[in-house]
Every structure is written in C-alpha cells, then in structure tokens.
C-alpha cells in the first residue's frame, strides 16, 4: 500500500521552479489557480461527490505523508467548466450527464450487491465493483443503457487519471521537469540532466539525492 | 474591454494581433460585408491559412474566417496540458462505428492557424507512387496530380517554413537538402536510431517545422517539449506565425471567432454568393465572388451538408454523393517499454527521429500501403491515461508504473488506412451552441488496416527488443489525422473537386484542406496540405489570367 511506495525523486518539488525562467506568466497564473481549487464540490451533489472521492482513492491511491492531490475536486472542476473533449462515443451522453449517471449507477450497484452504498464498502469490494464496470458486466437500470465499460474507460479512468497527473505534486512524484517555457532544456542524451531537472535516486543514495533535489531550480 | 481571445475577437478595427510581441498589434485591411470580395475562406489552418496568403500575394481581395481565437503564443500559451485544451476543437461530435475515433486534442484545432498551432511539426513528403496508388500499387484511388509537380510545391513549403532536416534523405528520389540543419536527437530518438541500425534499416533526424537556428522574429527551438499543446516561444513554424502574418501584410483580412454556418447560393443554385457566419453573438453575411471551404475533414463536409438547398438537397458540391465519405484517419499504434538508462522523453519535440523504411519497401508485406515509425515523448497526463486505459492499469499498479516515466520509451507509427465509403461524416440530430447540426463520425477499420497494424507492431517490437527495452507492451487502439471526405479526382462522378480543388458542381466553390486527399499515405499530412494550397493558389492565378474563374 502507499506507505511502502518507492520514492525515486526524494526532495524534488517542481514548484521550486515557479519563479525561474522555466515558468512564464500564463503558466504561473494557470497553476496558481489549480492549486487554489478547494477540496469540495461545486458541480456534483454531496452524494455523488462522496462516491467520486471513494472511486478516486481506488484509482489513484495517495500516500499519507504528503498533502493529498484533490483529485475529485479537479474532476468536479472539469464538470463545472463543462470542459468536454470535443467528441464522445455514441453510446455515452454528454460529459456532465455521463458522470452523474455513472456515479449513481455505481452506487446503486453497490446497494444491490452489498446492501450499502459504494462509499461504505471496503477497498477490495470497491475494486471488485470497478473491475466489473471495466468488464462491462454492470447492468443496473440506473445506467440507463450506458455501457459500464465505455463509461469506465472514456470517462472514469480518463478524467480521474488526467486530473491526478495534471497536478504539480504528481509531476514531482514521477520526476517530470514540469513547465519549461521559455528556458526549455539543453542536455538531451541518455542519462543526462540539466541542473533544473530532478535527480533520480539509484538506491542507498537517498540523503544525497534529497539534498541535490532541494537545490533544483 | 475583455482581452480574453476566446470571448472577444482580436482581429478588428483595422488591426490584428502581432503574434511576435506581447500585447502587440499589426495593421490589417478590413472589408465591408457588403463588399463582394474575390475570396472568402472558411478556416485558416494548413489549407486555408496557406491559400489565404498565396491569394492575397497574388493580388486578390481575401477575407479568411476562423471559428477559433487569435492567439499571441508568447502571452497566451502555458506549459500545461489542461490549460492548452483551449487549442482544440472541443465542440461536441459523436463518434461511432466499429472503431469509434478519438478527436479533440488528437487531431482537431480551433484557432487561427488551425491544427498547425498544436501539430507535432513532422513535415514529410509523400512517396511519389502514392499519387497513383490505384494504377501503380493496386489500391485506393489515383490523385489527379503528378508527383513531380507536387515535389516542386513541397520544396516551396519546406523553404517557406525553414524545415530543419537531414542533409541527405535515404528514401525516394533525390531531394535537395533541407533549408535548416537537423535538430539534435534526444535519447528517445536515439532509441529509434539504435533499433533501426540493429535491424539494418535507415533512419533520419525527423524533418521538423521548428527552427534549428534563428529566423526573423522566431528563435530556435529550446526543446521544452510541449509542442503538441502549443509552442510558447514561436520556434514552431505554424500557419499562425508564418502564412497568416504574410497574408495580412499582403492585404488579407482575418476574422477570428467567426463560425460559418452556411455557404449561400444564388437563386438557381448555380453559384455561391458568400457565407453566413456568427461573430459577437450575431449572424452576419459576407459577400464573395468565390468561397473556399477549408475546415478540415470533419467541419468541411459538415458545412457543405448543412448548406443544402432545394437545388442541392444533399448538400453543396455533392452530386457525386461522396461529400463526407472516405474519411481516412491514420493508424497510430505504438510499442512501449522501459530502459535501464534515463530517457526523460519530455525534452525536445516528441518525434526527433524516424524511419520511413516501410513506406518505401514493399517486399514482405501482406497489406497495401505503408507506415513511418517515429520516436515519442508523451506528457504525463496523456501518458498516464493512455496506460490506464490501454493497459488496464489503475490503483497502486498505475502509480508504480508512472514512477518509471523517465525510463520509458516508445515507437509509434503513422500508418496508411484505406479509403472506405462506410467511413464517413454525416449530420446528427443534436445541434451545437450555434444551433447547427453536429457531425456524426463513423469509423471502422478494414482487414487491410488490421494487417498493416500487425506488421507495424511486429517491426516495432523487434526494434525495441534490439535496443534492450524491457516490459514491452502494444498500444493497438489509436489513430491520428483526418483526411478524405471531399476527394479530388478527374471524374465528377467519383470525386468532389478537380485537381485545382474546384468543386465539380459549383464553379466558384472550392475546397482546400486535407478533405481532398484520395488516399493518405504513411506520413503526416500537413506538408502535403500546404503544398496543395500553394498549387491551388497558382492555379487560381492562372485561371483568373485566362478569364476562367
């Protein structure tokens, strides 16, 4: 589980580059606004919000030793802005409708199978239900004909995973350089890094790597 | 007044944004809607932007409309995947068929400059034989164009965009050296190079429309790696910063945030008279002697179908019944893996190395067509959702896999798919924010498409194994680019436009974008679209001189 997670980039924080030539004004504006999104719903109802939060914890579990990325709030923000993809599978309704219907259907499936809402299930039962959705096996009337597998891939996974990896905390976690305009990069070859890129720990060198990463900027 | 370019038009009152300076302006000629201009163009991307420039420089009066905003990249473009969603066509479209397409960020632009604002800059010529695919290679359809003439126009576009590429190109007839030196190849590209060498096939640094040395107001590329969400330094030679400023200098007017809903015809339907479009919340009409539709392979047929009249009940330019049919995307499959070395593929343009070997080598193929293989560098949110959906990775497994981001590598194809009439754009019952019926896009792969994909996945797997990549996996479900839906040809019964992009049915209605492709080949289409636009500009000039417009 998350506590045992390998930290390949100890001490690296992409936000330390905020005031360097790697960030232009518009990037600072956009990321500041994202970091200011509070962890509460603006579009979804409280019930749907609770279900979404529980799903996010299964899809992108987070370690307890750092501030959590408000993944559900980022998805809710997308719904609030009705920020569509520009296309949709003919089997899906529009963005907002798909999410509302999908969240209610997953909760309804939990009640049929376990006599309790999705939020109250343990992690294994939640995962089993999500896997059934991925397989297209869920047919509760609450889906109103929307195939659970299409919803799972095209909306649930796509939007949640996209939200998590649009957050600077996730960029730091994977050692991504983050915003890079106008400075860009110089060293492009194998095993080369510019001094404004994350240092990777190779095992046993965490303390030194942490010190070096705290100077990245 | 709001300076949100998505809310308030910028190109008006005699000026247009200066794309090279924050807050800057350049003077722009304006026409009245009652002026019957020589040409009104719908769309300002690789087709419309290029042709607007060529027509204005030839002395025609030109108004070019685009549904999207007019960006100044230096002040408007963030290094952020979510924010830059603003570059894409995100109005609703419905996708069905056996292999429903993914559109939006993948292949649709909504900006002055069109998709060239976010394209990956890969600038390749067609293999000469592809222009006679039916006669010489036995599939698809022949183009009404000669490859030697097209190669002349390719050269012109390569010079206009100062393409950075290799001194010698190992495939096809000899070509001159590229105008600018090739870019340094990043580690992701070197993986392709080593893989190709291990297989005994050629590779090159990719010819790219981003500068390797300064040019005018554009600096050389700084390898920031966000190319497919918009270049914030102006190194990328998009239509927005090349053809369009030239067009304005030559007297063209650009109207941003101008959504065309209908091409109007005269009473007997024999000629078009202009376009009805919405701007600043009001429907307007621009008179024109000629209309050029250049909205790319979904919006172009949608507009022609939405312009149906009593005389043309199936839509304009559609007596052949082919408007909207033969939509062609390209196969975009990949093989991904993990290396011991740090790759850090987020640095540099995404495809710095490529091989066109299987575009030119026909031996051993059990399919028609070809494909190019390119190195890759996906940004985190796109990459994570790709892995989640295509590898069924989520939960702790996804988080752990994403920890390998800086060691992951991949090869991806741009592969030829065959034209099929069942792959098409039609009108859906739903309407958009302008009240216009939206597009339904139907797509199914054919057996040949599947065979090409299988072959490509095998070659890429071999190359990846040869360089010691581990944990290989195949991404099968992806496509890119949009072409077809208004094909050019020699016969009005089997094509929509002639070689000059002029519609067979209505002599002053033209189509100039990727819609006119009869086949797609195995290379990215933007260079060919721009070459066709340059040729069309020259042909219109010649026709006008002979009084045949």
């Amino acid at each position: 589980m998350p506590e045992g997670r390998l930290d390949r980039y100890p001490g690296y924080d992409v936000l330390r580059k905020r005031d360097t030539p790697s960030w232009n004004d518009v990037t600072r504006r956009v990321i500041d606004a994202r970091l200011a999104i509070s962890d509460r719903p603006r579009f979804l109802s409280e019930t749907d919000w609770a279900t979404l939060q529980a799903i996010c914890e299964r899809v992108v579990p987070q370690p307890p030793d750092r501030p959590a990325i408000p993944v559900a709030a980022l998805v809710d923000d997308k719904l609030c802005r009705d920020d569509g993809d520009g296309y949709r599978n003919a089997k899906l309704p529009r963005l907002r409708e798909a999410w509302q219907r999908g969240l209610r259907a997953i909760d309804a499936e939990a009640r049929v199978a376990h006599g309790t809402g999705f939020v109250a299930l343990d992690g294994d039962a939640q995962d089993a239900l999500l896997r059934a959705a991925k397989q297209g096996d869920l047919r509760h009337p609450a889906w109103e004909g929307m195939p659970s597998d299409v919803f799972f891939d095209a909306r649930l996974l796509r939007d949640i995973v996209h939200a998590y990896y649009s957050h600077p905390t996730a960029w730091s976690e994977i050692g991504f350089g983050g915003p890079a305009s106008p400075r860009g990069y110089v060293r492009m070859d194998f095993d080369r890094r510019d001094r404004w890129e994350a240092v990777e720990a190779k095992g046993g060198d965490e303390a030194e790597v942490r010190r070096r990463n705290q100077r990245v900027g | 007044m709001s300076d949100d370019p998505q809310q308030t038009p910028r190109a008006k009152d005699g000026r247009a944004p200066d794309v090279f300076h924050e807050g800057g302006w350049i003077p722009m000629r304006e026409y009245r809607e009652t002026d019957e201009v020589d040409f009104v163009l719908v769309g300002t991307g690789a087709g419309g932007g290029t042709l607007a420039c060529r027509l204005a420089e030839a002395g025609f009066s030109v108004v070019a409309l685009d549904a999207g905003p007019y960006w100044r990249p230096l002040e408007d473009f963030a290094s952020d995947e979510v924010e830059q969603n603003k570059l894409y066509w995100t109005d609703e479209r419905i996708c069905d068929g056996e292999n429903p397409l993914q559109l939006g960020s993948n292949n649709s632009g909504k900006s002055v400059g069109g998709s060239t604002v976010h394209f990956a800059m890969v600038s390749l010529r067609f293999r000469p034989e592809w222009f006679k695919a039916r006669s010489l290679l036995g599939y698809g359809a022949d183009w009404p164009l000669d490859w030697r003439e097209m190669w002349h126009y390719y050269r012109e576009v390569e010079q206009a965009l100062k393409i950075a590429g290799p001194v010698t190109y190992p495939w096809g007839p000899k070509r001159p050296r590229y105008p600018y030196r090739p870019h340094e190849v990043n580690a992701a590209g070197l993986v392709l190079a080593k893989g190709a060498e291990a297989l005994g096939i050629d590779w090159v640094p990719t010819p790219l429309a981003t500068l390797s040395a300064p040019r005018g107001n554009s600096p050389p590329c700084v390898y920031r790696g966000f190319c497919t969400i918009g270049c914030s330094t102006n190194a990328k030679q998009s239509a927005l910063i090349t053809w369009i400023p030239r067009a304005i200098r030559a007297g063209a007017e650009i109207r941003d945030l101008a959504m065309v809903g209908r091409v109007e015809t005269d009473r007997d339907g024999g000629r078009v008279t202009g376009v009805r479009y919405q701007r600043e919340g009001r429907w307007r009409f621009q008179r024109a002697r000629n209309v050029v539709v250049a909205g790319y392979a979904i919006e172009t047929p949608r507009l022609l179908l939405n312009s149906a009249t009593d005389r043309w009940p199936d839509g304009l330019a559609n007596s052949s019944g082919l408007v909207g049919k033969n939509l062609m995307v390209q196969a975009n499959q990949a093989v991904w893996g993990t290396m011991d070395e740090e790759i850090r593929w987020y640095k540099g343009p995404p495809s710095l190395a490529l091989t066109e070997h299987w575009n030119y080598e026909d031996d051993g193929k059990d399919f028609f067509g070809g494909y190019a293989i390119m190195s890759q560098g996906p940004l985190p949110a796109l990459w994570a959702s790709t892995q989640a959906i295509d590898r069924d990775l989520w939960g702790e497994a996804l988080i752990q896999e994403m920890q390998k981001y800086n060691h992951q590598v991949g090869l991806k194809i741009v592969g030829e798919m065959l034209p099929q009439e069942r792959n098409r754009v039609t009108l859906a019952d739903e309407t958009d924010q302008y009240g216009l019926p939206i597009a339904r896009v139907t797509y199914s792969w054919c057996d040949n498409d599947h065979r090409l994909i299988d072959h490509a996945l095998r070659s890429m797997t071999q190359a990846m194994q040869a360089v010691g990549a581990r944990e290989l996996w195949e991404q099968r479900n992806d496509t890119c680019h949009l072409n077809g839906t208004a094909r050019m040809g020699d016969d009005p019964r089997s094509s929509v436009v002639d070689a000059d992009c002029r519609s067979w049915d209505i002599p002053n209605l033209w189509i100039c974008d990727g819609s006119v492709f009869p086949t797609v080949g195995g290379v990215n289409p933007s260079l060919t679209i721009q070459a066709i636009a340059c040729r069309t500009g020259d042909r219109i000039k010649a026709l006008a001189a002979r009084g045949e417009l």
Side-chain angles (χ1 to χ4, degrees):
Chain A
M1 290 311 288
E3 295 85 52
R5 190 177 285 172
L6 175 75
D7 188 1
R8 279 193 190 229
Y9 302 95
Y12 173 60
D13 182 357
V14 74
L15 288 176
R16 247 181 243 122
K17 291 201 259 183
R18 184 186 180 281
D19 297 314
T20 71
S22 283
W23 290 46
N24 62 7
D25 287 341
V26 57
T27 302
R28 278 188 278 269
R29 262 199 318 277
V30 166
I31 304 302
D32 287 354
R34 184 160 316 138
L35 294 172
I37 291 174
S38 61
D39 198 12
R40 57 186 165 76
R42 288 182 299 152
F43 175 76
L44 291 173
S45 71
E46 288 295 337
T47 316
D48 293 347
W49 167 254
T51 307
L52 174 61
Q53 280 189 308
I55 292 171
C56 289
E57 283 169 27
R58 303 316 302 167
V59 174
V60 282
Q62 303 196 50
D65 60 352
R66 61 154 168 81
I69 298 171
V71 185
L74 294 173
V75 174
D76 181 79
D77 179 64
K78 177 181 168 82
L79 296 175
C80 209
R81 290 181 287 115
D82 203 11
D83 186 17
D85 304 321
Y87 66 98
R88 72 173 203 268
N89 187 301
K91 294 170 182 160
L92 295 181
R94 291 188 183 225
L95 174 71
R96 291 174 164 180
E97 167 71 16
W99 263 110
Q100 287 175 321
R101 204 192 289 178
L103 291 170
R104 285 164 202 172
I106 286 171
D107 198 48
E109 297 280 3
R111 289 177 196 283
V112 169
H114 302 281
T116 177
F118 185 83
V119 176
L121 301 181
D122 65 32
D124 288 343
Q126 288 177 333
D127 283 353
L129 215 159
L130 292 176
R131 272 195 297 274
K134 166 84 186 180
Q135 297 305 318
D137 292 342
L138 301 182
R139 301 281 156 77
H140 192 283
W143 291 98
E144 297 176 49
M146 177 169 78
S148 69
D149 53 344
V150 180
F151 170 73
F152 189 85
D153 277 349
R155 286 270 69 90
L156 187 151
L157 269 190
R158 181 183 301 276
D159 292 344
I160 291 176
V161 170
H162 208 273
Y164 184 86
Y165 285 101
S166 69
H167 195 281
T169 299
W171 301 341
S172 300
E173 185 173 76
I174 63 172
F176 172 51
S181 184
R183 177 159 55 177
Y185 298 103
V186 178
R187 294 164 185 83
M188 306 250 283
D189 209 338
F190 293 102
D191 292 319
R192 295 300 305 276
R193 56 173 279 278
D194 292 320
R195 64 166 175 76
W196 52 94
E197 294 182 82
V199 183
E200 184 183 280
K202 305 292 183 187
D205 56 351
E206 279 74 11
E208 168 61 14
V209 168
R210 183 176 302 276
R211 261 195 310 280
R212 292 176 67 198
N213 271 330
Q214 280 164 351
R215 291 198 299 269
V216 167
Chain B
M1 197 183 74
S2 158
D3 189 39
D4 179 351
Q6 294 175 276
Q7 299 300 325
T8 310
R10 279 174 166 171
K12 55 185 301 195
D13 304 325
R15 64 184 195 174
D18 177 352
V19 292
F20 295 106
H21 296 97
E22 294 186 32
W25 300 97
I26 55 172
M28 179 180 75
R29 178 165 180 179
E30 278 187 291
Y31 294 91
R32 287 175 305 217
E33 289 175 331
T34 48
D35 291 340
E36 190 180 43
V37 294
D38 292 327
F39 284 87
V40 63
L41 293 95
V42 183
T44 61
T50 308
L51 184 57
C53 173
R54 298 300 304 264
L55 291 175
E57 288 180 346
F60 294 105
S61 55
V62 170
V63 173
L65 312 180
D66 202 287
Y70 203 139
W71 306 109
R72 291 187 194 97
L74 298 179
E75 70 183 67
D76 293 325
F77 289 179
S79 296
D80 183 68
E81 290 175 85
V82 177
E83 168 69 12
Q84 294 301 112
N85 205 38
K86 66 190 180 186
L87 302 187
Y88 309 132
W89 191 282
T90 53
D91 297 352
E92 200 81 346
R93 290 156 168 173
I94 297 174
C95 296
D96 63 7
E98 291 165 25
N99 305 91
L101 298 180
Q102 298 180 33
L103 304 171
S105 61
N106 194 21
N107 45 22
S108 280
K110 190 177 190 180
S111 297
V112 171
S115 304
T116 69
V117 177
H118 62 79
F119 78 150
M121 312 169 298
V122 176
S123 300
L124 304 177
R125 301 180 179 195
F126 264 40
R127 174 179 166 181
E129 290 90 333
W130 291 343
F131 292 104
K132 294 289 176 276
R134 169 57 61 189
S135 313
L136 297 178
L137 301 168
Y139 68 91
D142 285 350
W143 293 54
L145 301 174
D146 183 276
W147 75 269
R148 282 158 295 231
E149 190 184 13
M150 285 300 289
W151 277 48
H152 163 79
Y153 286 105
Y154 281 140
R155 187 64 188 153
E156 185 173 331
V157 177
E158 287 163 355
Q159 285 292 352
L161 306 184
K162 298 299 177 213
I163 302 295
V167 174
T168 56
Y169 203 74
W171 306 283
K174 200 167 167 55
R175 65 179 70 173
R177 66 177 297 166
Y178 284 93
Y180 274 29
R181 68 182 183 194
H183 287 281
E184 179 185 349
V185 177
N186 61 5
L190 291 173
V191 167
L192 181 144
K194 286 166 182 265
E197 284 164 9
L199 267 51
I201 62 177
D202 288 314
W203 70 276
V204 287
T206 307
L208 290 175
T210 184
L211 298 177
S212 58
R215 177 202 191 188
N217 287 311
S218 284
C221 178
V222 294
Y223 305 132
R224 64 187 270 270
F226 288 82
C227 320
T228 57
I229 62 170
C231 179
S232 61
T233 68
N234 283 331
K236 175 190 286 192
Q237 301 297 288
S238 65
L240 173 64
I241 73 159
T242 58
W243 300 112
I244 288 167
R246 264 175 67 179
I248 290 173
R249 268 198 305 278
E253 179 187 348
I254 307 291
R255 289 185 199 151
D256 52 339
L257 300 184
M259 175 67 185
V260 176
R262 195 175 165 80
V263 179
E264 298 287 3
T265 55
D266 61 13
R267 194 160 302 145
D268 70 3
R271 295 182 69 82
V272 295
T273 55
V275 297
R276 202 158 294 284
Y277 70 103
Q278 200 188 82
R279 197 183 196 204
E280 296 183 285
R282 225 161 44 78
W283 284 100
R284 303 156 185 274
F285 181 69
Q286 175 64 53
R287 295 181 67 207
R289 293 187 188 91
N290 292 274
V291 172
V292 182
V293 180
Y296 211 17
I298 294 176
E299 291 307 309
T300 285
R302 178 186 177 214
L303 176 58
L304 294 171
L305 296 172
N306 270 332
S307 301
T309 65
D310 290 343
R311 163 85 189 275
W312 306 108
D314 299 322
L316 300 185
N318 197 20
S319 66
S320 65
L322 289 173
V323 169
K325 292 184 181 168
N326 295 303
L327 173 66
M328 290 168 287
V329 292
Q330 287 172 302
N332 200 206
Q333 280 60 34
V335 174
W336 307 98
T338 304
M339 303 283 286
D340 291 333
E341 295 93 335
E342 290 178 29
I343 304 296
R344 299 185 190 252
W345 60 7
Y346 55 81
K347 294 188 279 190
S351 299
L352 277 164
L354 73 83
T355 175
E356 277 208 71
H357 178 80
W358 282 282
N359 270 334
Y360 286 85
E361 176 58 73
D362 293 326
D363 279 353
K365 284 180 182 167
D366 60 346
F367 59 90
F368 291 121
Y371 58 88
I373 301 178
M374 297 173 204
S375 58
Q376 294 294 300
L379 293 169
L382 171 65
W383 176 237
S385 48
T386 298
Q387 295 207 92
I389 294 165
D390 290 325
R391 298 179 82 181
D392 191 20
L393 275 186
W394 44 281
E396 199 58 26
L398 174 66
I399 303 287
Q400 293 293 352
E401 196 62 22
M402 281 299 291
Q403 287 268 304
K404 301 174 186 166
Y405 182 67
N406 286 342
H407 289 263
Q408 287 175 308
V409 285
L411 302 176
K412 201 166 201 192
I413 60 164
V414 169
E416 180 155 21
M417 285 190 157
L418 295 193
Q420 304 177 65
E421 287 196 12
R422 65 175 176 157
N423 290 337
R424 60 189 300 200
V425 175
T426 52
L427 299 177
D429 295 332
E430 287 181 42
T431 54
D432 66 6
Q433 67 270 37
Y434 311 101
L436 303 166
I438 67 173
R440 174 181 292 274
V441 182
T442 304
Y443 212 91
S444 304
W445 301 354
C446 65
D447 288 345
N448 192 80
D449 300 338
H450 283 285
R451 284 199 297 274
L452 178 144
I453 287 166
D454 290 341
H455 188 279
L457 289 170
R458 281 197 302 276
S459 350
M460 290 189 290
T461 298
Q462 280 173 8
M464 292 282 277
Q465 284 168 339
V467 298
R470 292 174 285 103
E471 301 167 28
L472 301 187
W473 65 280
E474 296 179 347
Q475 182 191 359
R476 288 193 75 89
N477 185 27
D478 207 1
T479 64
C480 58
H481 308 130
L482 301 164
N483 294 283
T485 71
R487 67 157 53 152
M488 58 164 58
D490 284 325
D491 183 343
R493 290 166 303 178
S494 58
S495 58
V496 177
V497 296
D498 66 15
D500 300 335
C501 293
R502 186 178 210 166
S503 79
W504 291 111
D505 296 344
I506 301 177
N508 65 338
L509 174 62
W510 311 71
I511 298 169
C512 188
D513 59 25
S515 307
V516 303
F517 283 29
T519 55
V520 285
V523 296
N524 311 49
S526 62
L527 194 76
T528 301
I529 297 172
Q530 292 171 88
I532 289 171
C534 286
R535 182 186 180 279
T536 300
D538 283 353
R539 288 292 302 152
I540 286 172
K541 200 171 148 186
L543 290 166
R546 297 206 303 256
E548 293 175 14
L549 261 201

